[in-house]
Each structure stands twice: as C-alpha cells, then as structure tokens.
Amino acid sequence: MTADMLSAILVSGIVLGSGYALMASGLSLVWSTLGIFNFAHGVLMTLGAYVAWTVSNAAGLDLGLAAGAALAVAALIGAGILLERMVVRPFYGHRDILLISVMTTLAAMIFLQKGIQLLWGARLKQLAPILPGNVPLWRTTISAQEALIMVVAPLLLGALWLFLRRSRIGRGIRAVGQNPDSARLIGIDVSRLFIITFALSAVLAGLTGVLLGSVRLLTPEFGADPLVKALIIVIFGGLGSLGGTIAAAYLMGIVEAALTFYVGIYWTPSMIFLLLIVVLLFRPQGLSGKVVR
Amino acid sequence: MASLRNGKAWLLGILLVAGLVVPILVEDTYLRHLFIISFVYGIVAASWDLTLGYAGIFNFAHIAFFGVGIYATALAAKLLGIDPWIAMLIGGIAASAAAAIVALPIVRLQGVYVVLVTFAFSQLVFQLVISQSQVTGGTNGIVRIPTLSMPGHNFLRDYKLGYYYVAFALLVAATVCLRLLVRSDFGLSIKALRDNEDYGVSRGIPIARQRLKALVASAFFTGVAGGFYVIYLRVASPEIFDFSTASLVLSMVLVGGTSSIYGPIVAALVLTFISEGLANINNFAEGRFMLVSVAMIVVLLFFPKGLASVLPAALARRHEKRDRESRNWKGTRVVPNDQKNGTALPPISLDRST
C-alpha cells in the first residue's frame, strides 16, 4: 500500500466517521437516558436539512445559511419535544416499552418521511456548501465542506461531552441514565430531562443533516442510510457508552472507506454486515458495551 | 366455554365457504385483485406474528424475508426457467435460508440488539438487490416473469379467478399450518420462552434451537407468499423493501392483535381494502402511509391487544362479571401473563443500572 492510498482511505474514512459519530451519538444519548431506541432519528436529520434548505435557498426564503441552520435547530427542538410527548411519553413504565417504542418511532419516521415528501416533493435538492472550494490535506484533496465536517464534528462532540460532564442539566441526564429511580429520589425532574435529552438528540441529528446536506443530495429518504449505519455503529460500539459509540463511528468510517477501496462500493454493505455477524458471534454485547437485557 | 369454541368452529366454516364463494359473486377484476393482495398480506402478517407475537423475537427482518421470496422466485422462474409452481416453493426455501442466516447471531442476542441486527439485515438485502443490477435489475426490478400454467386453464384470461383460488388455498394452508404450529408442543415452548425465558430454559427448552425453528418456519410461509405475489404481479420491484411496506404489514399485525393468527389475517383484509381505496384518492398514494402510521400509534395507545380483540375482550369482561357474582369471586385466579397485562409481547427488564 502506498502512502497516497493510505491517506486517501484515512481521510475519507475520517470524513465519513465524523458524520456517523454525530448521528450515532444522538441515538446513543437517547438510549442511555430513556432506554428506548429512536428510529425517527434519521428522518429528523432529513427534516433539519430540508428546513435549512427552505430558509437558505434562493428558491425558498433566501435568508442565508446561518439563518437556515438556526431555524433548523429551532424546528428540531420543537420536533424532538413533540415526538417525545406523542410517541414515547405515553408508554413510560410499560413493561414492553422497548418494543413499543421501536414501533411508535418507526411509525413517526414513516409519518415524517411521507410528510416531507408531500410538503417538499420528491425532487432532489442540495444545500449550498458553507465553505466553497477544495482543501489539500496530506497527499489528497477534499472539498472544504468535508474538511469543515471533519472539524465541526469533534467540536460538537466535545461540547456535548463537556455539557454532560460539567453542566447541572448534563449531570442530571447522566444520573437519570444510570438509575432513574434514585435520580427522582434526590429531586431530579426526570421527565423534564427526558424532554431535554430528546430535543438535544434531535438537534444533533438536524445539525448532521445541515452539514451533510451539501455533500449529498437531499431526498425524503436522505436520513435512511445514515440511520442504518448508525444502527450498525451502536451495535459495534455497545449501546449506552458515548465514548464507545464515537470510537466505533470513526472506526466504521475508516473500515467502510477501506472496503470501498478494496472490494468496491457494491459489496461494501455486505462485507460490513458479515463483519457485524462475526463480531456479534464472539461479543454479543458489542466491542465495548455491557450486556444489555 | 364449550359453546364459545363451537361458535368459533362455525365461524371458521362460514368464512371458508365465504372465501370460496366470493369470486362467484364478485366479478369485478379489481375487487378480485384486492382480495388476492390482501390474502398475500394476510399470510405475511400472520406468519410475522409467529415470531413477533408468539415467540417474542423482535424480528424486524420479516419484510426482507418476503423480498427474498419474491426475488428468489422471480430469478428461478425467469433466469433458470423453472416452472413457476416450483419457483414459488423455491421462494419459500430461500426465505427460510435467509432466516437461518439472521438467526445465527440473533438467537444469542437480547432485546434491542435483535431489533438492530434484523433491521440492518433488511437494509443489507435491499442494498444487495440494488447493487447487483446485472442479475436483479437494480432499481428497475425484474419484469415479465412467467405466469402460472395448468393444463386446460388459462390464468391470464379468467379475470383473475385462478389466481384468486391459488391465493386463497395458500392462505388456508398457511393458516392451518400456523395454527397447528402454535398449538403444538413447539408452540407452547416458544410461548414459554417469551413469557419467562429463564424458567423455560431451566425446564430444558433449547432456546436457540426453538428460536431458529420459529424464524425459519415463519419465513417459509412468507417466502411462498412472496413467490406467489411476484408470479401474480409479474414484476419484482425493490420498493418492497421500503420502510413503508414494513409499517403497513406491522400495522396489520398490531391492529389484528399479536399472538393471534386470525387477527392479523382479518386486519390484512380490512387494511388492504382501506389503504388501496385511499390510494385512489388524488395524490394520496403517499399520504395514506401517514394515516397508517397514525393508526399504528393510536392502536398501541388505546388497544394494545389489537382492535380485533375489542369484541372478545368485552365479552370476556361480561363473563368474568357474571362469574364473580355467582361464585363470590375472591380474585385469586391465575391469568396468563399476556392477558393480565393487556398485551402479549415479551417482558423486558428496564433496569439498566448495572
């Protein structure tokens, strides 16, 4: 392997991994706090990208990308709160909440995806890149937007980590994730933190959508593929561990870039799935996770 | 109780005869088409219930098994020139084989991991179909698949009469097999594992083997139904792997009620007619899925045992009331877990503190 190939694989792997890490960390956050799995996460990403497009694009309101991103964040806070209220909250305390929430969030995903298709139509759209042009990087060249993703993703994840470690609300979220009953006993408002967690995760999804919306084409199914990748990542990384999830996301990005290079884009999903089965046969709890029952 | 069971036998007999007479009364080809489609969905929904409702396996790859049946049959009939009748059987076997592959990791996994792996699997099948376009036709699908043939009967010029009866026969056969399965020792053992896994295992039920069998069996009927579906429509399209198909069939299982083979079949009939009727309204082909998803949430909220259970549940309440009055009921009756909690899905511990 020449250094050129290695750099091409590593750089594109890290770009991929950055997007995956943003997606998967939101999923992992909701899982470790609420104990449910949000299948509408992918479509929230789509929603963020479409809102940003409508606000910023010349065919829409033409207000610039900053306003687009801001409105996307606002819309996703609303969507996250609504989603938690309508399809998750009614089932708290139910003994089958895991299975039920899979079905209700799946229903919410279909609802939002078809709603987006009705509102915006099926025509392909693309966000204007935040940064134009290309950037040379260690023997290879990537677009400035991809470089931006590489920089912004770790910053956002670092901010998330600081928020969870240092702030009062963040520590509350972690306490609820560790033991909701004791958290309630020491006076934490658990249901308010559930809403905050859901909104936070929705915002992460929406920002991922805004970042990726200029690299990929927008369709109503825009979030489906990242969602599936995020599923595989949280299996690899072990659910509930944010660090494990982020590490698995970058690892997955690099593995995917390497596989695309060696076996071609068509066989990559099969190879990843094969890898997944092999890992699960030996470590059913994921690479770093604890046993979840 | 005995009279109730007799009543059920009568009802089934009447439904069977009605199913046989329908095409004689209904001459409209489109209505017959709706019946055929709803029978196919009925098989898929009822056999999904075997894994989801009875065995308590969080299997979300069921539509992928359906798709595997569709593509295996289409390829066998079109590329290999195998007789469509046998190709349908091949569809079932291929779907079972796919289920066995998925079962490999998931028989050892718990809860959410099963959901994740089965979801990932269905996406994998979809991407394989899309990417191997020289074989599967990619996004264009496979067209002009050979039709069924029988000496002395032309399946294309009988206003769908022949297809109706084939679909009905498949539905009846699948229903009988599924009912026999869930009432057998095997059915008891998978229900035992669903309700109390640790106890079931301690009594010697081989959990991995039973789960594998449940998956393979439920995939077989689904695969045959997929095979029939593609031979009937003559087109195999990757759209079948869309999340909306999965949610439509899932809503049939939920509306019909989990842990009942008949419920999902009835729900499949009703929902197919409703959703096809809605699809004919201008520009509503996509919007109807929004209604389906709202219906799913409403059913989960208010009728966790399924809409089909509302009537029997009301009857049971009246019986219970009468029992209580006559026997001075003390409230120490043993109720199966699934009836007690108003749902028949497996228990999951929410304790994530360790």
Side-chain angles (χ1 to χ4, degrees):
Chain A
M1 191 198 290
T2 65
D4 281 355
M5 279 153 64
L6 184 70
S7 93
I9 289 173
L10 275 181
V11 169
S12 69
I14 290 171
V15 171
L16 274 173
S18 306
Y20 293 159
L22 280 178
M23 268 308 267
S25 60
L27 271 178
S28 169
L29 186 67
V30 166
W31 168 263
S32 55
T33 311
L34 283 82
I36 67 146
F37 205 87
N38 179 17
F39 274 92
H41 201 68
V43 82
L44 289 176
M45 171 182 163
T46 317
L47 186 67
Y50 269 91
V51 169
W53 182 87
T54 308
V55 174
S56 66
N57 196 275
L61 298 171
D62 202 8
L63 292 174
L65 209 58
L71 251 117
V73 168
L76 278 150
I77 291 175
I81 293 173
L82 264 181
L83 208 60
E84 198 266 356
R85 284 261 147 167
M86 298 182 72
V87 306
V88 187
R89 169 150 307 207
F91 304 104
Y92 285 144
H94 197 292
R95 70 184 185 120
D96 293 323
I97 183 165
L98 177 58
L99 183 55
I100 289 178
S101 63
V102 167
M103 297 192 215
T104 52
T105 54
L106 189 66
M109 169 189 134
I110 301 292
F111 186 84
L112 286 172
Q113 185 178 316
K114 297 296 176 187
I116 287 171
Q117 188 160 347
L118 280 182
L119 269 178
W120 277 284
R123 258 179 62 193
L124 297 176
K125 297 178 171 47
Q126 191 161 30
L127 279 167
I130 299 168
L131 294 177
N134 292 316
V135 176
L137 185 74
W138 190 45
R139 290 164 177 266
T140 180
T141 306
I142 55 174
S143 71
Q145 179 70 16
E146 286 174 318
L148 183 74
I149 295 171
M150 260 170 84
V151 177
V152 169
L155 285 179
L156 278 173
L157 293 171
L160 178 68
W161 186 82
L162 270 181
F163 172 73
L164 290 176
R165 290 274 153 186
R166 299 267 172 236
S167 79
R168 202 177 162 75
I169 296 176
R171 282 196 288 214
I173 289 176
R174 281 169 53 228
V176 172
Q178 283 165 11
N179 193 330
D181 294 331
S182 328
R184 192 172 279 123
L185 276 177
I186 57 170
I188 293 175
D189 186 348
V190 173
S191 66
R192 193 175 67 111
L193 286 186
F194 278 177
I195 293 186
I196 293 174
T197 309
F198 226 92
L200 191 63
S201 135
V203 168
L204 277 174
L207 286 176
T208 319
V210 175
L211 283 173
L212 292 184
S214 55
V215 183
R216 302 184 184 187
L217 291 169
L218 284 183
T219 65
E221 286 90 32
F222 174 60
D225 178 57
L227 176 74
V228 173
K229 291 283 158 53
L231 293 185
I232 295 177
I233 286 162
V234 292
I235 304 175
F236 270 128
L239 271 165
S241 127
L242 195 60
T245 305
I246 292 169
Y250 280 99
L251 190 67
M252 169 90 165
I254 292 169
V255 166
E256 191 180 328
L259 280 174
T260 310
F261 189 82
Y262 285 109
V263 300
I265 195 160
Y266 289 140
W267 284 108
T268 303
S270 322
M271 297 301 285
I272 288 176
F273 190 75
L274 201 69
L275 200 63
L276 178 75
I277 289 184
V278 172
V279 168
L280 284 174
L281 282 180
F282 293 103
R283 280 190 71 83
Q285 68 276 41
L287 288 176
S288 77
K290 292 160 286 193
V291 180
V292 180
R293 290 183 61 109
Chain B
M1 208 51 206
S3 67
L4 213 105
R5 207 160 279 156
N6 266 337
K8 204 170 162 191
W10 271 104
L11 187 65
L12 287 179
I14 291 169
L15 283 178
L16 194 66
V17 174
L20 288 172
V21 184
V22 159
I24 299 168
L25 301 175
V26 178
E27 297 207 325
D28 183 51
T29 341
Y30 179 64
L31 279 181
R32 282 182 183 171
H33 165 76
L34 287 188
F35 271 107
I36 295 171
I37 297 295
S38 60
F39 290 164
V40 170
Y41 278 130
I43 300 174
V44 178
S47 55
W48 195 350
D49 197 22
L50 179 69
T51 42
L52 200 64
Y54 283 94
I57 304 169
F58 295 4
N59 162 27
F60 282 88
H62 205 72
I63 295 304
F65 300 153
F66 186 52
V68 168
I70 286 179
Y71 271 90
T73 304
L75 293 176
K78 176 123 197 233
L79 290 187
L80 305 177
I82 293 171
D83 186 84
W85 290 102
I86 300 165
M88 272 158 58
L89 200 66
I90 291 176
I93 294 167
S96 283
I101 294 174
V102 185
L104 203 67
I106 73 169
V107 291
R108 293 180 44 189
L109 295 174
Q110 292 282 347
V112 75
Y113 282 101
V114 177
V115 179
L116 301 181
V117 172
T118 48
F119 252 105
F121 176 78
S122 48
Q123 283 305 298
L124 167 80
V125 177
F126 172 63
Q127 298 201 337
L128 263 184
V129 166
I130 294 285
S131 62
Q132 303 306 309
S133 50
Q134 66 280 19
V135 183
T136 61
T139 45
N140 296 325
I142 307 172
V143 290
R144 298 179 59 188
I145 292 155
T147 57
L148 286 179
S149 58
M150 218 162 61
H153 189 85
N154 187 334
F155 272 94
L156 289 180
R157 291 181 203 282
D158 63 352
Y159 305 101
K160 299 188 191 295
L161 191 71
Y163 277 111
Y164 177 92
Y165 280 115
V166 175
F168 188 63
L170 282 178
L171 177 70
V172 171
T175 313
V176 169
C177 289
L178 286 169
R179 283 299 300 171
L180 285 178
L181 262 181
V182 298
R183 294 179 64 175
S184 67
D185 288 353
F186 167 74
L188 273 180
S189 72
I190 58 173
K191 272 185 276 185
L193 288 174
R194 173 197 71 192
D195 289 337
N196 194 334
E197 187 184 308
D198 295 335
Y199 186 59
V201 171
S202 74
R203 294 303 299 258
I205 301 174
I207 181 163
R209 201 192 305 159
Q210 300 304 76
R211 284 188 173 168
L212 175 77
K213 279 187 199 161
L215 276 166
V216 168
S218 86
F220 180 76
F221 300 115
T222 311
V224 174
F228 170 78
Y229 185 76
V230 75
I231 296 283
Y232 167 62
L233 290 180
R234 305 192 65 188
V235 181
S237 146
E239 272 169 34
I240 201 73
F241 294 104
D242 196 55
F243 284 126
S244 40
T245 319
S247 74
L248 182 65
V249 182
L250 189 60
S251 72
M252 291 167 185
V253 179
L254 293 178
V255 169
T258 46
S259 293
S260 99
I261 296 296
Y262 301 120
I265 296 175
V266 176
L269 261 167
V270 175
L271 283 177
T272 306
F273 275 81
I274 293 178
S275 98
E276 288 296 317
L278 288 174
N280 289 336
I281 301 172
N282 256 349
N283 297 324
F284 212 59
E286 301 294 331
R288 74 195 154 123
F289 287 110
M290 295 173 78
L291 281 182
V292 165
S293 50
V294 172
M296 259 168 84
I297 294 173
V298 168
V299 166
L300 280 167
L301 268 177
F302 300 110
F303 311 100
K305 288 187 79 175
L307 274 181
S309 73
V310 170
L311 193 67
L315 281 176
R317 260 201 299 281
R318 255 179 49 199
H319 274 284
E320 208 167 82
K321 206 173 155 197
R322 209 182 303 150
D323 277 2
R324 206 174 335 188
E325 281 157 4
S326 61
R327 283 195 285 124
N328 193 14
W329 190 66
K330 287 262 170 31
T332 48
R333 209 162 52 118
V334 178
V335 182
N337 220 1
D338 55 340
Q339 291 174 21
K340 203 158 49 192
N341 292 336
T343 170
L345 302 171
I348 306 144
S349 162
L350 289 180
D351 179 24
R352 287 168 290 110
S353 52
T354 46

